[in-house]
């Protein structure tokens, strides 16, 4: 369960993203979609914590902040960043994301799930794994460059919080 402090921290972290998202969204409808994506991700990750002990939702918020503040992507990318772990970590499917957020956001989330699988696949030798990963990333670039950019934001946030990982995983 989350404490009152956890909920305040989530709201504080989302506030910065909320302000910057408004600037990147073309209209009120897009902005409302970002709020909907946050509410949905916050609900499905409710009660889940990262290794650091902080609420899990802070990770998607941080990834979305990198996407908007450091990379400069727009509404659909912000939504996909907020939703990037939903399919992987919950019982929700890409079809659920499509029904709730539309085809493009679902396509990006699907691509993020697939690229994660490609990057985390350990069934190859080291050199063939590296070549296979590079090939999959290039194929993903053909689908939508935003997938790779959001995945880089995800990995960047993971590196920024690597001190909470066990030594063998670093």
């Amino acid at each position: 369960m989350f404490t009152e402090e956890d909920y305040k921290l989530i709201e504080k972290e989302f506030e910065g993203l909320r302000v910057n998202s408004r600037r990147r969204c073309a209209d009120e409808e897009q902005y409302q979609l970002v709020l909907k994506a946050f509410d949905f991700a916050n609900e499905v990750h409710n009660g889940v914590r990262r290794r650091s002990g902080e609420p899990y939702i802070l990770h998607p918020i941080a990834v979305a902040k990198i996407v908007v503040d450091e990379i400069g992507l727009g509404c659909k990318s912000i939504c996909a960043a907020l939703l990037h772990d939903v399919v992987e970590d919950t019982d929700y499917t890409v079809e659920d994301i499509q029904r709730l957020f539309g085809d493009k956001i679902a396509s990006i989330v699907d691509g993020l799930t697939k690229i994660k699988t490609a990057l985390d696949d350990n069934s190859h030798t080291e050199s063939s794994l590296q070549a296979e990963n590079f090939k999959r990333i290039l194929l993903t670039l053909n689908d939508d460059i935003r997938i790779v950019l959001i995945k880089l934001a995800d990995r960047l946030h993971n590196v920024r919080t690597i001190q909470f990982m066990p030594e063998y995983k670093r």
Side-chain angles (χ1 to χ4, degrees), residues 135-147:
K135 177 181 164 189
R136 288 180 184 176
I137 289 169
L138 288 176
L139 291 172
T140 301
L141 285 173
N142 190 45
D143 293 337
D144 193 325
I145 185 69
R146 292 175 291 190
I147 295 167

Side-chain angles (χ1 to χ4, degrees), residues 1-2 6 9 48-56 58 164:
M1 296 297 297
F2 286 166
D6 290 327
L9 179 60
V48 180
R49 294 187 181 275
R50 295 191 85 204
R51 287 182 189 263
S52 63
E54 68 186 14
Y56 189 84
L58 296 182
F164 298 108

Side-chain angles (χ1 to χ4, degrees), residues 145-164:
I145 185 69
R146 292 175 291 190
I147 295 167
V148 174
L149 294 173
I150 296 166
K151 178 47 71 178
L152 287 172
D154 177 38
R155 292 290 170 112
L156 176 59
H157 183 253
N158 286 338
V159 168
R160 287 177 176 171
T161 58
I162 202 164
Q163 71 272 21
F164 298 108

Side-chain angles (χ1 to χ4, degrees), residues 39 44 83 89 96 140:
D39 288 341
V44 301
L83 300 168
D89 295 344
D96 294 324
T140 301

